[in-house]
Amino acid sequence: MEAKSPGVSASGRKPVVSGSARKLKDNAADWHNLIMKWNRLNDDGSTIANQIVNLKLSKESVKEAVVAGEDDQTPITRHTASASAIGSELEDRCFALTAILEKMAHLVSKMEKLASSTKGVCELQEFQLEHTGVCTPLFHTWAASHFEDVSSLLLRAYREELALKEVIVGELAHTSSADLALVYLSCWLYQPYLEPSTALQLESLLLETGHRVL
C-alpha cells in the first residue's frame, strides 16, 4: 500500500506544499514505500528460510538412513539419489534467499540516499534560520532537525537488521544444530532490530507530513 497524500482542505482545495516541505513530504512517502517493500521481502525470505531448514532436516535424515544401510549392508542407491535431489533443491533455495538479501541491501542503499537528502534539507533550513532568525515549522510541529533525527533512526535500524540477515544467510544452510536453525528462523521473521518504536517513528513522520490523518 502506497503512502497517500492528504485529502482536500476545508476550502475544497489541496494544500500547496513546496520547497523544503515538498522534499520532506516526498521523502516521507519514499520511506513508507521502501519499508513496505522490505516487509514483503522479509515475508518471502522467511518462507524460503523455513524451506531451507526443512530441507536440511530431510538431508540429515537421509544421511542417517544411508549410514544405517551401510551398517546392515542393504542397498543405499535410493537414499543416495534422494540425498542428491535434496542437495540440489537446498542449493536452489540458498540462492533464492541470497537474492532476497541482495534486494534488501538495495533498499537500504536507497534509504541511505533518503537520509542524506533529508540531512541536506535540514541543513538548508538551519542556514536560512541563521540568516533570517525565523523558525517556522514546515508542517505542523516538528523542527527541521527532527526530520533528520527520525530519518537517521530508521536508517540505523534497517542497517542493523540487514547486517543480521547477512549473518543468517551465511550460516543457515551450514549449521548442524536444529535448535540454532530455529533461532535463525525466528530472528529473520521477527526482526529484533526493528523495534515497535521504529514503526511508530515512521507513522509519526507520515502524520507530520500529511500522509496520515488523525
Side-chain angles (χ1 to χ4, degrees), residues 30-31 33-35 37-38 41 98-114 155 158-159 162 166:
D30 288 342
W31 270 113
N33 295 331
L34 288 175
I35 289 173
K37 290 178 181 178
W38 173 284
L41 287 172
T98 299
I100 292 288
L101 180 66
E102 289 173 351
K103 291 178 181 179
M104 287 179 147
H106 184 60
L107 292 182
V108 171
S109 178
K110 289 186 175 182
M111 291 176 182
E112 289 170 347
K113 293 177 181 178
L114 275 182
L155 177 59
Y158 281 90
R159 274 177 171 169
L162 178 64
E166 289 172 344

Side-chain angles (χ1 to χ4, degrees), residues 72-90:
D72 60 17
Q73 298 182 341
T74 57
I76 60 172
T77 303
R78 181 172 57 85
H79 293 312
T80 303
S82 179
S84 178
I86 292 173
S88 178
E89 188 174 357
L90 180 60

Side-chain angles (χ1 to χ4, degrees), residues 4 11 19 24 28 38 41 44 55 60 74 77 88 104 108-109 126 138 142 145 147 186 194 199 205 212:
K4 297 180 180 180
S11 63
L24 291 174
W38 173 284
L41 287 172
D44 293 342
L55 285 168
E60 291 301 318
T74 57
T77 303
S88 178
M104 287 179 147
V108 171
S109 178
E126 291 173 2
L138 293 168
W142 286 13
S145 60
F147 289 94
S186 179
L194 302 185
L205 176 62
R212 293 279 192 267

Side-chain angles (χ1 to χ4, degrees), residues 148-206:
E148 183 179 355
D149 292 341
V150 170
S151 187
S152 296
L153 183 150
L154 292 173
L155 177 59
R156 182 171 61 254
Y158 281 90
R159 274 177 171 169
E160 291 175 342
E161 188 60 38
L162 178 64
L164 174 61
K165 281 175 164 46
E166 289 172 344
V167 172
I168 293 172
V169 170
E171 298 292 334
L172 186 60
H174 304 292
T175 179
S176 58
S177 168
D179 289 340
L180 184 56
L182 292 176
V183 170
Y184 286 145
L185 279 179
S186 179
C187 286
W188 182 288
L189 178 61
Y190 294 108
Q191 309 190 99
Y193 288 106
L194 302 185
E195 300 176 357
S197 60
T198 306
L200 181 60
Q201 290 291 345
L202 174 63
E203 287 302 311
S204 297
L205 176 62
L206 295 173

Side-chain angles (χ1 to χ4, degrees), residues 19-57:
S20 294
R22 176 77 263 171
K23 184 61 178 175
L24 291 174
K25 185 180 180 71
D26 289 346
N27 284 0
D30 288 342
W31 270 113
H32 174 272
N33 295 331
L34 288 175
I35 289 173
M36 292 301 100
K37 290 178 181 178
W38 173 284
N39 290 342
R40 287 192 290 271
L41 287 172
N42 190 68
D43 289 342
D44 293 342
S46 180
T47 298
I48 295 171
N50 191 64
Q51 291 169 345
I52 289 173
V53 171
N54 288 335
L55 285 168
K56 282 280 293 180
L57 294 175

